[in-house]
Amino acid sequence: MSAKRTAAYLGGASLVAAWLASAAGVGPREPLPQEEAQPVQTAGTETLASDVQAQTERLRHRLAAAPAPQEPLRNPFAFAPRLPAAERRPARTADPDPVEIPPLPPAEHPLLSLIGIAENGTGDELVRTAMLATATGELLTVTRGQPVIGLYRVEAVHADSVELSELAGGAVRRLALRD
C-alpha cells in the first residue's frame, strides 16, 4: 500500500470518528412553547366587495369606449363559390388534326462502367468479382450468374473485362477496364 493511500484511509477514518463523536453529544430537543393562535383582524368583506365592484364598473366603461375591430379584408377560411359543372367545361370544338408522333429512338444501353475486378481463391477455384458503377453513382459488386440492374446477367468475368447478356434479347455487352 502506498503512503498516499494510507494517508487517505487515515484521514477518512478520522473524519468518520469526529462525526460520530459530535453526534453522540447531541441530545433530544425540548419542545418550544406553543403560542396561542389569535384571530386576524380584517377590514371586512364589505369593503373588498365594493372595491371589486368599482374595478368591474371601471373596466366595463373602458371596454365600451374601445374601438370595434375592423372586418378583415380577406378571410382565409372562406372559399370562392364553385361554378356548376356545366359552366366550367369549355365548349367543345371540332377535333384538331391528329399530331403525328415520331417513333422513339432505339433504346440506349444504360450507362455502366467497369471500375475494378477482384479475385478470390487460387488455381481452379478462382472467383472473380466485377465492380460496376451506374450513372447515378451506385456501386455494384457482381459475380458470374448474378443479375445487374434488372436488365442484364453476368455471363463471364475476365481479368480485364466483364460480359453481360441482356435478359430480354440475349445480346452480349462487353465492358472493359480503362487504362
Side-chain angles (χ1 to χ4, degrees):
M1 194 179 321
S2 69
K4 287 183 181 181
R5 187 176 284 179
T6 304
Y9 284 146
L10 288 177
S14 62
L15 285 175
V16 170
W19 176 65
L20 289 174
S22 70
V26 176
R29 292 187 179 177
E30 294 181 18
L32 296 175
Q34 295 287 334
E35 293 184 20
E36 291 185 27
Q38 296 180 358
V40 177
Q41 304 248 340
T42 61
T45 57
E46 293 85 23
T47 58
L48 180 62
S50 66
D51 285 345
V52 169
Q53 290 297 330
Q55 293 294 333
T56 305
E57 198 60 37
R58 195 175 118 224
L59 181 60
R60 189 173 291 134
H61 287 301
R62 284 187 65 194
L63 287 176
Q70 296 178 354
E71 283 294 318
L73 299 176
R74 178 180 80 83
N75 185 356
F77 300 104
F79 301 104
R82 296 186 82 167
L83 297 175
E87 293 179 21
R88 279 189 287 177
R89 286 193 208 123
R92 248 193 122 132
T93 59
D95 288 337
D97 294 333
V99 177
E100 195 171 310
I101 299 173
L104 294 174
E108 292 185 21
H109 297 292
L111 182 61
L112 289 172
S113 59
L114 180 63
I115 58 172
I117 294 185
E119 296 179 346
N120 190 12
T122 58
D124 293 335
E125 296 181 21
L126 185 66
V127 177
R128 290 191 176 115
T129 303
M131 285 158 271
L132 305 173
T134 64
T136 60
E138 185 179 1
L139 177 65
L140 306 172
T141 55
V142 293
T143 57
R144 185 174 185 268
Q146 288 185 325
V148 177
I149 63 172
L151 299 174
Y152 301 102
R153 176 177 292 118
V154 179
E155 292 300 320
V157 179
H158 303 289
D160 62 347
S161 64
V162 63
E163 292 180 7
L164 306 172
S165 66
E166 289 183 356
L167 294 176
V172 176
R173 181 175 173 190
R174 183 180 172 102
L175 300 174
L177 280 174
R178 296 182 185 164
D179 291 332

